[in-house]
Amino acid sequence: MYRPIATIAAGLALLIAGPALAQANPEEAGVRKALEHYLAGHATGDPKEFRQSFHDEARLQWIREGQYATRSDDEYVAGASGKPPADEAQRKRSIESIDITGTAASAKIVLDYPTVVFTDYMHLLKTQDGWKIVNKTFHAQPKAKQ
């Protein structure tokens, strides 16, 4: 009679304690550092921040108006203005997820801007210089005009 209640209680305890019991991947700090440089580049417009996040041979890919588009990291970084965006106070950026296996990682980043939400999917590799973004794919979702 008490067994179902005890089973439910034990299950709830594991559900609540599960995340605390899970051991974090020791590489996460390095991956997060590369991603935070990328986010800082957006916030400050400083090309040096982007340079610290991308591998020298990184590629960016996306679909624009139904067509495949690509550019190098050099082309992307060259677009950095060197100053924060005028609407920086209204912009929100977050690292939504990180998945690491050995020397490879992927991450999802959301850039919530006043007129558009960008969802970036980053692929990173652990190089001799630390974790670097080697590929970025993204989707831009315009927001409805109010």
Side-chain angles (χ1 to χ4, degrees):
M1 182 131 175
Y2 294 104
R3 185 165 286 185
I5 294 172
T7 302
I8 291 170
L12 285 173
L14 284 174
L15 184 63
I16 293 168
L21 296 175
Q23 191 172 25
N25 188 320
E27 295 292 339
E28 185 172 333
V31 171
R32 192 169 290 278
K33 180 178 177 184
L35 298 172
E36 288 172 354
H37 280 296
Y38 170 78
L39 295 177
H42 278 282
T44 64
D46 185 349
K48 291 176 188 171
E49 292 287 354
F50 287 121
R51 278 275 154 243
Q52 291 182 65
S53 66
F54 284 107
H55 185 275
D56 290 341
E57 297 180 37
R59 300 294 303 171
L60 294 81
Q61 292 119 351
W62 67 100
I63 301 295
R64 179 182 290 153
E65 298 175 2
Q67 299 297 312
Y68 173 84
T70 186
R71 70 171 46 158
S72 70
D73 64 305
D74 289 334
E75 293 168 316
Y76 182 77
V77 173
S81 67
K83 59 184 178 181
D87 62 355
E88 179 57 29
Q90 288 80 44
R91 295 179 175 215
K92 298 176 189 152
R93 300 174 187 90
S94 60
I95 299 170
E96 298 292 312
S97 65
I98 295 174
D99 186 17
I100 304 166
T101 303
T103 58
S106 63
K108 178 180 177 182
I109 291 179
V110 174
L111 310 168
D112 187 352
Y113 294 171
T115 61
V116 64
V117 175
F118 292 99
T119 302
D120 294 345
Y121 292 94
M122 306 295 201
H123 291 104
L124 303 93
L125 292 173
K126 187 175 183 182
T127 70
Q128 292 176 346
D129 297 323
W131 286 94
K132 298 290 181 180
I133 299 167
V134 296
N135 184 259
K136 169 187 164 179
T137 59
F138 70 92
H139 175 72
Q141 182 66 47
K143 290 184 175 180
K145 295 182 181 180
Q146 296 181 358

